[in-house]
Amino acid sequence: LTILDHDNQRPVSAAEIEIANPSLADISWTSGKITIKGKAPGLLQFNVVARSAYGLSHKESFLVQISEPTPP
C-alpha cells in the first residue's frame, strides 16, 4: 500500500492504524506493507491514516475477514 504525500509527491514514511476491534488482530504498516496477524475469527475494520508534510490527513477504511486457521 503506497501512500504519497500530494503536497510534495514523496512517499509517506509513517502512517497510523486505527482498529475498531483490536482483540481480533494486530495490524501494522511499515514501508508500504500492511501486516495483519489474526488473533480471533471475525470481521475486522481498520483505518490507515496518513498525514502530509503540512499536517493534512487522509483516512482509508478497510474491512477484512479473519478466519480460523486451516489445519495442515
Side-chain angles (χ1 to χ4, degrees):
L1 176 66
T2 303
I3 303 173
L4 289 178
D5 184 335
H6 287 285
D7 291 330
N8 59 21
Q9 296 304 309
R10 293 186 181 161
V12 171
S13 59
E16 296 175 33
I17 302 290
E18 299 174 343
I19 306 172
N21 189 350
S23 65
L24 292 179
D26 290 325
I27 302 175
S28 63
W29 180 89
T30 307
S31 300
K33 183 177 180 180
I34 292 177
T35 303
I36 301 172
K37 294 181 182 177
K39 296 179 186 177
L43 284 175
L44 174 68
Q45 181 177 356
F46 66 95
N47 301 315
V48 176
V49 183
R51 300 198 189 293
S52 74
Y54 296 104
L56 299 175
S57 66
H58 182 80
K59 181 187 300 188
E60 286 290 327
S61 296
F62 296 86
L63 185 63
V64 176
Q65 182 172 348
I66 306 292
S67 301
E68 289 284 344
T70 305

